[in-house]
Amino acid sequence: MDQWDDMRVFLAVARAESLSRAAPQLRMDAATVGRRIARLEARVGACFVKSPQGYALTDLGARMLPAAEAAETALGQVAEAAVAQTGQLSGQIRIGAPDGAANYLLPQVCARIGADNPGLEIQILALPRVVNLSKREADMALTVSPPDAGRLLVQKITDYRLHLAAEAQIAAKITTRAHLKDVPFVGYIPDMIFDKELDYLGPLAAGGVQLASNSVAVQAMALRAGAGVGIVHDFALPAMPEVRRVLTEEVSLVRSFYLVRHLSDRKSERLTRFAEAVSAGLRAEVARLEGAFP
């Protein structure tokens, strides 16, 4: 088992090409990951070439990689057998998502899936960027645009809606577009918008964004604190009782969530069942939360 655990650390570093990037996936600190790699290399030889740019595989490491991936696949097959025998999901599954979905939707959805499958460990990876499935940062990911490259399974889950919103006292003063010029805008850091579908404000904020963050949750807290006006997911509004939508007839956006998986996982009953449960749960949760704002 210790040898597989070493292979698990080896795989994470090989895919992340960095101790610090591999550490969160392994639930270790970077120093511990470094010690584990040193222990492995003391036993088998140098697996990585270290440089300021990160960790690159040596010839030995490149030869080890297929065997480590085969061991990973074999362990996955054990989990598949458990699904077939018990009817329940088990083991660890990681889903990546933009932080709007990760903060306001996935906790409820995954809690219900976890309650039905007590042997399952669900990890939600919230990132203000696209999750890299090719490096196995996650088993699957939510995106707001369907990827157009890579060997991937892509499924549209649901549409969702967004509107301009502000703290209640500020919102009461915004009854026409002309009033927007007198209110600061809250939004994304312009050069950190990682998907064109997240470029919500466009010409509305022609004068710039006065308070910006790469996190939807930070933007939400700023709006709750009265920092200005910004675009908010309708499904997030029930968690923001201080905030009200404004100009709903004039400014209304529709975006979509897609579930993206590795093509090689299409035969995995375990991951397919989890994907189906997440998709159904997200559709229901978006409908429930948006239902408060017809």
Side-chain angles (χ1 to χ4, degrees):
M1 195 64 183
D2 283 346
Q3 288 187 353
W4 159 243
D5 211 37
D6 285 345
M7 284 296 98
R8 184 173 67 92
V9 174
F10 165 78
L11 272 175
V13 175
R15 288 165 175 164
E17 299 177 348
S18 161
L19 299 182
S20 59
R21 288 195 295 270
Q25 302 174 33
L26 295 165
R27 294 193 294 181
M28 302 175 182
D29 57 63
T32 301
V33 177
R35 287 193 295 271
R36 295 290 297 277
I37 291 297
R39 183 178 79 178
L40 173 66
E41 292 187 323
R43 191 170 73 245
V44 303
C47 305
F48 295 99
V49 176
K50 296 89 172 174
S51 73
Q53 288 71 44
Y55 276 53
L57 289 171
T58 62
D59 289 343
L60 172 62
R63 292 198 301 273
M64 288 171 55
L65 186 60
E69 290 177 332
E72 181 183 52
T73 299
L75 281 178
Q77 290 170 347
V78 172
E80 292 287 324
V83 171
Q85 183 173 355
T86 67
Q88 290 191 332
L89 302 176
S90 62
Q92 182 187 98
I93 296 178
R94 176 180 292 180
I95 180 169
D99 71 332
N103 276 283
Y104 299 108
L105 295 173
L106 280 177
Q108 307 92 282
V109 171
C110 291
R112 288 192 284 269
I113 296 172
D116 292 336
N117 301 273
L120 180 64
E121 177 190 342
I122 303 172
Q123 297 182 348
I124 300 171
L125 180 64
L127 290 177
R129 61 171 174 80
V130 176
V131 174
N132 192 328
L133 290 179
S134 66
K135 292 188 176 180
R136 292 283 176 173
E137 284 188 332
D139 297 293
M140 58 190 69
L142 289 183
T143 67
V144 292
S145 290
D148 55 8
R151 293 175 56 78
L152 301 167
L153 293 171
V154 182
Q155 170 196 352
K156 181 178 176 180
I157 298 175
T158 187
D159 292 333
Y160 61 95
R161 287 159 182 77
L162 309 96
H163 289 87
L164 276 174
E167 185 275 330
Q169 293 186 32
I170 296 174
K173 301 173 183 177
I174 303 174
T175 57
T176 70
R177 282 201 184 216
H179 294 145
L180 293 176
K181 71 179 187 304
D182 301 319
V183 183
F185 272 93
V186 174
Y188 277 103
I189 299 171
D191 61 354
M192 298 189 74
I193 295 176
F194 62 90
D195 190 299
K196 67 182 188 306
E197 296 296 336
L198 301 180
D199 190 7
Y200 300 136
L201 290 171
L204 285 173
V209 175
Q210 284 70 49
L211 199 161
S213 173
N214 64 339
S215 166
V216 167
V218 173
Q219 293 173 35
M221 292 301 293
L223 292 172
R224 294 176 71 178
V229 62
I231 294 290
V232 174
H233 302 77
D234 281 13
F235 60 68
L237 285 167
M240 304 164 60
E242 308 89 343
V243 174
R244 303 285 185 273
R245 298 191 304 177
V246 299
L247 305 180
T248 56
E249 297 298 320
E250 297 182 53
V251 182
S252 180
L253 306 178
V254 177
R255 296 292 189 269
S256 303
F257 284 129
Y258 298 84
L259 188 66
V260 184
R261 298 170 53 195
H262 305 278
L263 185 62
S264 59
D265 291 339
R266 66 190 183 280
K267 295 182 180 179
S268 168
E269 180 184 355
R270 173 172 166 270
L271 291 177
T272 297
R273 281 183 51 185
F274 181 79
E276 290 170 349
V278 165
S279 298
L282 284 170
R283 282 191 289 270
E285 192 64 8
V286 169
R288 181 182 75 84
L289 293 172
E290 288 191 350
F293 304 94

